[in-house]
Amino acid sequence: MNQQNDRSFNTDKLNLETNPHYLEQLVKTLEEKNCQLQEEIKERQLLEKKLRNSEEKMRAVFEAMTDIVLVIDPDGSGIEVAPTNAANLGETSNELIEQTIQQFLQGENSQAWLNQIRQVLQTNQTINFDYNLLIDEREVWFTASISPMANNSAIWVARNITDRKQAEVALHQSEQKFAKAFLASPSAITITRLSDGCHVEANDSFCHFTGYTREEIIGHTAIELNLWVNWEDRNRLFNLLQNKRIIRNYEFDFRTKSGEIRTALLSAELINMNGQTCLITVSQDITERKRAEQTLRMTQFFLDNCGDGAYWIGADGSLLYVNNAACNYLGYTEEELLQMKVVDINPNFSEEMWHQSFQQQKQNRLPSIFETHHRRKDGTIFPVEVTARYLEFNDQEYLCAFSRDITVRKQAETALQEAKKAAENASRSKSEFLANMSHELRTPLNAILGFSQLMSRDTSLKPEHKQHLEIINNSGEHLLSLINDILQMSKIESGRITLNENDFNLHFLLDNLQEMFRIKAENKGLMLILDRENDLPQYIRTDESKLRQILINLLGNAIKFTSEGGITLRLKMLPHDYHSDKKLNPNQRMLLCEVEDTGPGIAAAELSKLFEPFAQTETGKKSQQGTGLGLPISRRFVQLMGGELTVNSRVDEGTTFRFIIPISLAETSTLETVKKIRQVIGLTAGQPEYRILVVDDRFESRLLLLKLLSSVGFQVREAENGQEAVEIWERWQPHLIWMDMRMPVMDGYEATKRIKSHLKGQATVIVALTASALDEERTVVLSAGCDDFVRKPFREAVIFEKIAQYLGVNYIYRELFPSTSEAYTGNIPGETTNSPFILTPSSLQIMPPDWLTELYQAADCVDNDTIFQLISQIPSESAPLANALSDLVNSFRCDKIIDLIEKIEGNN
């Protein structure tokens, strides 16, 4: 150390000797630094004094910073030290002078600092930087500047900035926390510049809130994003902000990116951010809450105004809430009922029974519906239907119940009891008229096609007439295919096709199909072969209608596309050990059906199109027939029946369609048993005189109902439009109205609304008659006020059933018996009266040939009046024949009369 001091002394002595101004420069530099420090201290003291004077209780945010001054030579040795508080470095002044920079600034950067000192001396330029030291196990930060001095030395001025660094770290951490909270907040938050309205920040919740991405939001205004639904809401918001600069719980509607209108609750405040006025908003989507509130209000309104009594009952049976309806039909005020228990209004309940019932409801936890009785304030007891359910709310047990006065219903049930008993044995039609017009449209078309084919075999026809018949036949075939396929596909696509299994005679169905397609095949010179194995059961159970439709579609296609050769329909039962993924019960078997033709075949590339709706192969397009729906419909039917329709085809060789379905063997006795069916022929004695009004703009439709209803004893009047119907209703007061819905002058909808708007009109039953095939029509008709709905064309059984249902009418019936014969026997083909009379061609031959000719001509022209005149000529001893023919005419089956007479002529 002495040697070092000697060297330093000698160095200073040498510098002083060689540079007389060295000491002056050093002193001057130190004085300048000292002045600078003194000025900074004065400024700091003045600032502190001002801060203390302005706010005495305010603590100093920053403490006085300590500056350290070192004079260092190029080797890093301290020459002079002038620290305000050298203890900040953990060393005394003398110790600092004796050490090099590597020693008193220990650390990995000491060599870098020495290099910086040398760089300053070389470049003669000041360097500013921050550094940190570990002093007394505490990290201390400094900001320093190194400036060159004369005589190849540098001055190091350092200031303790630990507090500032710590504040910066804390600020950074705070910003990070704010950013995380901002982005993760469940509330939608945005920051918007007030100058241009652009969003400068938005969190994830706001993106979810609006449906936009953050990139779509930032830099765009709420107007550009089309968020505002109501401009008045926006203007009101900004007016409030100008007055208050802060608002809370502002409710408004906004529009999402998808266009959905929702409701928000917003709080907003104007802030200054980077010298700009911004608007920060915090929003919550309260759409569901508003809906819940609306639902609650609607529920409360419903409970207060519904016609059923509503009760909120405690576990002890106390009535905690009752609505207006309960008060009205019980005769108590709300205050009176809330002081009562269930046992006070229900004569069937004791305290013990109530507790037992309550415990049962608690165990079931499901709504229960039961009938009981209630007692009014005046003591009268009346029947009610109660729907009750156990509920828990806020750790309390309750029973929610609704009661309905069913006095009228009970009275009606009693009044109709005998009528229901009398009608229990009546056989109802197995199926109602379907929700579309397909069957009713196909029936007349089948007659047209059948007669045109029969007429075309008449060799006496002129070529021109044969051409006309061919046009009629082709057009009818095309129309029938269109109607059938389009309506069936419509039902399939809407999911309204279901499986309706029934027992039937399979052999009879096959014979019927063979007869149906025989003429078509013969006209094209084709052979039609029905190949059924000997073990094929006669009676089976499956969906007969769908099986028939599938085979009709496949046979029709085969005949249509085959020009030579023939078509084979093949059916056989598969053995019991046939491999199938179907789980069959012991009574089930697998039925194989194939339709094979010798037609042109189908190219492999086109096979995939066969089962696509409206798609056709090249052969199908060339034929210019059909819609391309027959095969898709057939495939869907087969799938519904538990199988799969497949195809195998070779070009110029033919095509085979194949499917396998599970079937059950039917009980033969069930099919052969004679079932009684009853036909209405009159009204029982002692009943009121029922008045019925028929409203229809078509004369033939009115005439049909007039004759049908008046024939059994009803008083019937008619009207040809809704306006006339309203006038007759006001004068005549009918019990029931059959109302056509589409009419000129005034339609049935308007007429029904006018009648039902009157109190006395509520007692008039109105049943709509419509020819629409759409299911949606029912909803529209019933919403207009009609009590029921019947589609045209209707069956007489439905008409009488509806009248009995609403008026409680009792009828006189005539029993009918189905016949196993194929002859025609009465009102319904295959049926006869009590004395089993079978209507056959031979039974008609008791009448003279001229009479038969006149009957044939009248039936051919559908001249019912002439037919009835001819029937009246039948002798009284042949009354069964007259009755059978009358039944056919009343059932609109003149075609059956024609068939019978043609068979007579054919036999002759």
Side-chain angles (χ1 to χ4, degrees):
M1 179 64 69
N2 291 333
Q3 293 178 354
Q4 183 177 355
N5 290 338
D6 291 341
R7 284 196 303 271
S8 175
F9 176 78
N10 293 331
T11 300
D12 291 340
K13 181 178 179 181
L14 179 62
N15 288 336
L16 290 173
E17 290 174 354
T18 58
N19 186 1
H21 300 290
Y22 173 74
L23 182 58
E24 294 178 0
Q25 291 176 350
L26 180 61
V27 171
K28 183 177 180 181
T29 301
L30 291 175
E31 287 178 347
E32 290 176 354
K33 292 295 183 179
N34 186 55
C35 290
Q36 181 180 354
L37 293 175
Q38 291 298 327
E39 289 297 325
E40 291 179 356
I41 291 172
K42 288 180 180 181
E43 291 178 359
R44 183 176 60 194
Q45 291 175 344
L46 180 61
L47 177 62
E48 290 176 352
K49 183 176 180 180
K50 289 181 179 180
L51 290 173
R52 287 195 299 272
N53 292 337
S54 63
E55 189 176 354
E56 293 180 358
K57 295 182 180 182
M58 182 70 177
R59 295 181 58 187
V61 178
F62 300 101
E63 295 182 353
M65 300 179 64
T66 302
D67 293 342
I68 301 172
V69 181
L70 299 175
V71 178
I72 306 171
D73 64 14
D75 295 329
S77 299
I79 301 174
E80 298 288 344
V81 179
T84 304
N85 188 357
N88 283 337
L89 297 177
E91 304 282 351
T92 64
S93 300
N94 294 334
E95 289 174 339
L96 290 175
I97 292 175
E98 293 175 357
Q99 295 181 11
T100 65
I101 192 169
Q102 290 92 336
Q103 292 174 323
F104 66 76
L105 295 178
Q106 297 178 2
E108 298 177 356
N109 296 326
S110 58
Q111 184 61 43
W113 290 333
L114 180 60
N115 293 337
Q116 287 181 338
I117 293 171
R118 291 173 178 171
Q119 178 182 349
V120 168
L121 294 176
Q122 290 175 1
T123 62
N124 201 32
Q125 292 182 350
T126 299
I127 295 177
N128 299 306
F129 60 94
D130 292 346
Y131 66 95
N132 65 317
L133 295 175
L134 192 64
I135 301 175
D136 296 333
E137 298 183 354
R138 183 174 67 91
E139 184 180 43
V140 181
W141 279 88
F142 297 90
T143 181
S145 64
I146 303 176
S147 301
M149 294 184 61
N151 298 325
N152 203 25
S153 62
I155 184 169
W156 180 310
V157 181
R159 176 174 294 174
N160 189 333
I161 60 170
T162 303
D163 291 341
R164 192 186 78 189
K165 281 292 185 180
Q166 291 175 346
E168 289 176 353
V169 172
L171 179 61
H172 179 68
Q173 292 176 345
S174 176
E175 289 176 345
Q176 286 185 326
K177 290 179 180 179
F178 172 78
K180 290 180 179 179
F182 178 85
L183 294 175
S185 173
S187 298
I189 306 176
T190 59
I191 301 176
T192 307
R193 281 195 305 267
L194 204 63
S195 59
D196 57 8
C198 290
H199 295 99
V200 297
E201 193 56 80
N203 67 348
D204 294 340
S205 294
F206 187 80
C207 296
H208 180 73
F209 186 75
T210 61
Y212 291 96
T213 64
R214 192 170 182 274
E215 291 73 15
E216 291 173 325
I217 295 171
I218 303 302
H220 295 86
T221 67
I223 297 174
E224 292 173 337
L225 298 176
N226 197 26
L227 295 179
W228 288 102
V229 175
N230 191 336
W231 279 94
E232 293 181 359
D233 288 338
R234 176 185 179 277
N235 296 335
R236 190 182 304 112
L237 172 65
F238 281 94
N239 289 336
L240 291 172
L241 285 171
Q242 289 178 356
N243 296 331
K244 299 182 179 180
R245 297 187 65 83
I246 182 171
I247 59 173
R248 294 286 184 266
N249 299 327
Y250 183 81
E251 189 175 307
F252 68 100
D253 291 336
F254 70 97
R255 183 184 293 104
T256 65
K257 182 179 180 180
S258 64
E260 181 183 4
I261 306 299
R262 301 184 68 84
T263 304
L265 191 67
L266 174 143
S267 295
E269 182 176 356
L270 293 176
I271 61 173
N272 188 288
M273 191 173 72
N274 297 328
Q276 292 183 323
T277 302
C278 294
L279 176 67
I280 182 170
T281 63
V282 180
S283 306
Q284 291 181 335
D285 188 337
I286 61 170
T287 305
E288 301 307 323
R289 190 184 80 187
K290 296 293 289 184
R291 291 174 179 172
E293 292 174 353
Q294 179 67 17
T295 301
L296 182 61
R297 287 193 296 270
M298 292 175 62
T299 301
Q300 185 65 40
F301 178 81
F302 165 75
L303 290 176
D304 289 339
N305 295 278
C306 72
D308 295 340
Y311 307 86
W312 194 257
I313 308 169
D316 62 350
S318 298
L319 300 179
L320 306 178
Y321 166 82
V322 292
N323 68 346
N324 296 334
C327 297
N328 292 335
Y329 73 65
L330 289 173
Y332 292 97
T333 64
E334 181 180 358
E335 292 75 14
E336 289 173 331
L337 284 174
L338 294 182
Q339 301 298 320
M340 301 167 66
K341 292 186 174 182
V342 171
V343 295
D344 297 323
I345 64 172
N346 192 329
N348 297 336
F349 269 30
S350 62
E351 289 284 352
E352 182 180 356
M353 293 176 62
W354 160 254
H355 290 297
Q356 292 177 353
S357 176
F358 187 85
Q359 291 302 319
Q360 290 177 355
Q361 296 288 341
K362 182 177 180 179
Q363 291 175 2
N364 293 335
R365 301 280 175 148
L366 294 173
S368 62
I369 302 176
F370 58 92
E371 292 184 5
T372 184
H373 289 81
H374 280 173
R375 181 191 291 113
R376 295 189 179 92
K377 186 176 182 179
D378 61 8
T380 57
I381 296 175
F382 61 100
V384 292
E385 182 182 76
V386 177
T387 302
R389 181 169 185 173
Y390 171 84
L391 297 172
E392 291 181 2
F393 184 71
N394 289 341
D395 298 328
Q396 297 293 323
E397 297 178 324
Y398 303 94
L399 201 68
C400 178
F402 291 87
S403 65
R404 174 174 296 178
D405 185 345
I406 57 174
T407 303
V408 175
R409 190 180 80 187
K410 285 295 183 181
Q411 291 173 348
E413 289 175 356
T414 301
L416 292 174
Q417 191 63 33
E418 291 188 3
K420 292 176 65 177
K421 289 181 180 179
E424 282 179 354
N425 297 325
S427 175
R428 300 184 181 274
S429 175
K430 291 183 178 180
S431 62
E432 295 293 337
F433 183 66
L434 297 177
N436 56 71
M437 300 291 289
S438 60
H439 177 72
E440 297 300 332
L441 290 172
R442 285 198 304 269
T443 300
L445 279 174
N446 283 332
I448 293 171
L449 295 172
F451 282 118
S452 64
Q453 290 171 359
L454 289 174
M455 293 175 66
S456 64
R457 302 177 66 176
D458 187 351
T459 57
S460 64
L461 287 176
K462 296 179 180 180
E464 180 182 3
H465 293 164
K466 287 186 177 182
Q467 182 182 13
H468 293 168
L469 284 173
E470 184 178 355
I471 294 173
I472 293 173
N473 188 69
N474 293 338
S475 299
E477 288 280 4
H478 182 63
L479 182 57
L480 179 61
S481 175
L482 290 174
I483 293 170
N484 179 43
D485 292 348
I486 293 174
L487 292 178
Q488 288 287 5
M489 183 54 66
S490 175
K491 291 173 64 178
I492 289 174
E493 292 178 346
S494 63
R496 293 184 288 115
I497 295 295
T498 58
L499 194 64
N500 300 306
E501 293 187 341
N502 64 295
D503 297 341
F504 63 95
N505 188 326
L506 177 61
H507 288 219
F508 180 79
L509 184 146
L510 296 176
D511 292 339
N512 183 268
L513 290 176
Q514 186 178 29
E515 183 64 24
M516 180 186 302
F517 288 102
R518 180 178 57 81
I519 297 177
K520 291 184 179 180
E522 290 177 357
N523 288 342
K524 295 189 68 173
L526 302 174
M527 294 182 62
L528 179 60
I529 301 172
L530 177 56
D531 181 7
R532 46 186 166 188
E533 294 194 349
N534 295 331
D535 64 344
L536 189 70
Q538 183 173 0
Y539 302 103
I540 67 171
R541 181 176 182 82
T542 186
D543 193 321
E544 178 186 9
S545 174
K546 290 181 177 56
L547 178 59
R548 178 189 293 109
Q549 187 63 50
I550 294 167
L551 296 177
I552 287 175
N553 287 346
L554 296 180
L555 289 171
N557 279 351
I559 293 175
K560 179 167 57 178
F561 296 118
T562 302
S563 57
E564 59 182 12
I567 295 92
T568 301
L569 171 59
R570 186 178 300 108
L571 291 94
K572 68 177 180 178
M573 301 301 296
L574 297 178
H576 287 283
D577 59 353
Y578 170 75
H579 176 70
S580 173
D581 58 353
K582 306 293 181 184
K583 294 182 179 180
L584 305 179
N585 60 47
N587 192 41
Q588 282 188 312
R589 298 281 299 278
M590 300 302 290
L591 174 65
L592 168 66
C593 301
E594 289 182 340
V595 175
E596 181 180 358
D597 65 58
T598 58
I602 305 169
E606 293 187 308
L607 288 177
S608 60
K609 300 180 181 179
L610 285 178
F611 301 113
E612 295 179 6
F614 302 104
Q616 290 182 311
T617 63
E618 288 300 320
T619 304
K621 293 176 181 178
K622 292 177 181 178
S623 70
Q624 297 183 355
Q625 298 181 53
T627 59
L629 293 176
L631 289 178
I633 292 172
S634 299
R635 185 184 195 184
R636 183 66 186 94
F637 281 178
V638 171
Q639 291 172 343
L640 191 63
M641 298 173 74
E644 186 63 47
L645 179 62
T646 60
V647 58
N648 183 26
S649 182
R650 290 187 178 183
V651 177
D652 297 330
E653 294 186 13
T655 303
T656 301
F657 286 91
R658 183 174 189 264
F659 64 92
I660 301 173
I661 57 172
I663 58 106
S664 300
L665 301 180
E667 293 289 341
T668 307
S669 59
T670 303
L671 293 175
E672 292 181 346
T673 300
V674 176
K675 299 179 181 179
K676 291 185 178 181
I677 298 178
R678 300 191 297 178
Q679 181 185 35
V680 174
I681 59 175
L683 304 177
T684 59
Q687 296 188 83
E689 188 177 80
Y690 294 106
R691 299 181 298 277
I692 299 179
L693 175 62
V694 177
V695 187
D696 201 308
D697 62 320
R698 298 182 65 87
F699 169 75
E700 58 272 21
S701 297
R702 298 198 307 274
L703 181 62
L704 172 61
L705 279 175
L706 283 170
K707 287 190 174 183
L708 179 65
L709 298 178
S710 59
S711 66
V712 298
F714 289 111
Q715 296 295 316
V716 189
R717 290 190 182 181
E718 60 178 306
E720 63 180 13
N721 57 62
Q723 181 176 328
E724 186 178 341
V726 174
E727 294 172 355
I728 295 176
W729 169 80
E730 292 175 343
R731 298 192 309 268
W732 196 49
Q733 293 297 298
H735 297 90
L736 184 143
I737 301 176
W738 292 102
M739 181 74 74
D740 184 32
M741 304 312 291
R742 295 186 180 182
M743 297 179 291
V745 183
M746 180 187 294
D747 61 22
Y749 299 99
E750 181 63 25
T752 300
K753 290 177 181 178
R754 294 195 182 187
I755 293 173
K756 289 293 187 178
S757 65
H758 295 274
L759 181 61
K760 61 182 181 180
Q762 299 297 320
T764 303
V765 178
I766 301 180
V767 182
L769 283 173
T770 176
S772 173
L774 299 177
D775 286 338
E776 294 80 358
E777 184 76 10
R778 175 182 291 272
T779 303
V780 177
V781 167
L782 296 181
S783 64
C786 292
D787 298 280
D788 212 330
F789 178 97
V790 173
R791 286 194 174 96
K792 299 176 183 177
F794 48 77
R795 291 176 292 110
E796 68 173 42
V798 174
I799 298 299
F800 288 124
E801 285 175 5
K802 293 298 181 184
I803 296 175
Q805 176 184 348
Y806 289 101
L807 301 184
V809 177
N810 294 321
Y811 297 118
I812 300 173
Y813 297 96
R814 176 173 58 194
E815 292 184 347
L816 306 171
F817 298 86
S819 169
T820 57
S821 170
E822 295 182 19
Y824 306 123
T825 57
N827 183 37
I828 300 175
E831 298 174 346
T832 185
T833 58
N834 283 328
S835 56
F837 173 78
I838 300 177
L839 181 58
T840 63
S842 60
S843 61
L844 284 173
Q845 289 183 300
I846 65 170
M847 301 301 292
D850 292 343
W851 185 90
L852 290 175
T853 301
E854 293 182 25
L855 180 62
Y856 183 91
Q857 294 173 350
D860 189 43
C861 298
V862 196
D863 186 352
N864 293 345
D865 292 337
T866 301
I867 295 175
F868 280 120
Q869 290 177 4
L870 293 170
I871 292 175
S872 65
Q873 300 174 17
I874 298 175
S876 57
E877 58 270 17
S878 300
L881 171 61
N883 292 334
L885 290 175
S886 297
D887 289 339
L888 287 178
V889 177
N890 290 329
S891 299
F892 313 105
R893 299 310 306 266
C894 292
D895 58 315
K896 301 300 183 184
I897 298 175
I898 294 174
D899 289 343
L900 289 169
I901 298 175
E902 286 182 345
K903 287 184 178 180
I904 295 173
E905 295 175 350
N907 293 334
N908 294 335

